[in-house]
Amino acid sequence: MSKNATAAAATQGPTPEQIVKHFQSLNAQQQQMAQKLMELENELHEHTIVGNALQETSGDRKCFRLVGGVLVERTVKEVLPAVEENKNMITQVVAKLNEDLKAKSQEISDFREKYNIRFKNEVEQEQETKKQSGVLV
């Protein structure tokens, strides 16, 4: 390829295949983020249940905590602060991930708008609307 052909290809923008590939990549990233968000929300719910259960028990009662795959015996007064701290950290991560997911959704929306990306069912609906539109007397 000559320098002029390379420069012309660079100024034309991405090919349709590149646009589709990038769009699919954005959607995959969004799905991964949503899946991770669901996992963290489930974990947050579990921490809430455990925290509520531990608050109702005496602090001297023994309980067990899984630490790095090892079950460790502790007391409620030792475990409850750790559970609450983990719950707070998960809450912060969930909030950040929600923000990131909204930003990713906006990025996808902007990308669709920029390259006029339409799904097959959207095109079919637009065609149906055009067929049905008419003047009623």
Side-chain angles (χ1 to χ4, degrees):
M1 244 192 206
S2 68
K3 289 182 182 180
N4 292 338
T6 306
T11 58
Q12 290 178 355
T15 65
E17 293 82 16
Q18 291 171 330
I19 292 170
V20 169
K21 187 173 183 177
H22 185 67
F23 182 69
Q24 290 172 341
S25 171
L26 290 174
N27 278 331
Q29 291 170 11
Q30 182 186 32
Q31 288 174 353
Q32 288 174 344
M33 292 171 76
Q35 184 177 11
K36 186 63 175 177
L37 182 63
M38 284 178 38
E39 290 173 12
L40 287 173
E41 285 175 342
N42 286 337
E43 195 168 323
L44 180 62
H45 181 69
E46 290 174 7
H47 276 71
T48 302
I49 290 171
V50 170
N52 291 340
L54 290 178
Q55 286 176 348
E56 297 173 3
T57 60
S58 73
D60 296 334
R61 187 170 176 186
K62 70 178 177 180
C63 66
F64 296 90
R65 180 173 184 219
L66 191 63
V67 178
V70 177
L71 200 57
V72 181
E73 183 178 339
R74 298 278 188 242
T75 62
V76 170
K77 66 182 176 186
E78 293 173 335
V79 172
L80 187 58
V83 169
E84 292 297 326
E85 182 181 339
N86 286 347
K87 180 181 162 186
N88 291 337
M89 296 293 282
I90 293 170
T91 301
Q92 292 173 0
V93 171
V94 165
K96 174 74 170 108
L97 199 52
N98 265 324
E99 291 173 12
D100 292 348
L101 189 59
K102 287 179 185 175
K104 184 60 71 177
S105 296
Q106 184 61 45
E107 182 182 354
I108 289 171
S109 179
D110 293 344
F111 191 81
R112 283 185 67 188
E113 192 71 29
K114 180 178 179 180
Y115 292 105
N116 195 24
I117 297 173
R118 301 284 180 248
F119 292 113
K120 191 174 187 176
N121 61 351
E122 290 175 344
V123 173
E124 291 171 356
Q125 288 176 351
E126 288 175 7
Q127 290 173 351
E128 282 292 319
T129 304
K130 288 179 183 178
K131 287 179 184 178
Q132 293 176 356
S133 64
V135 178
L136 295 176
V137 182

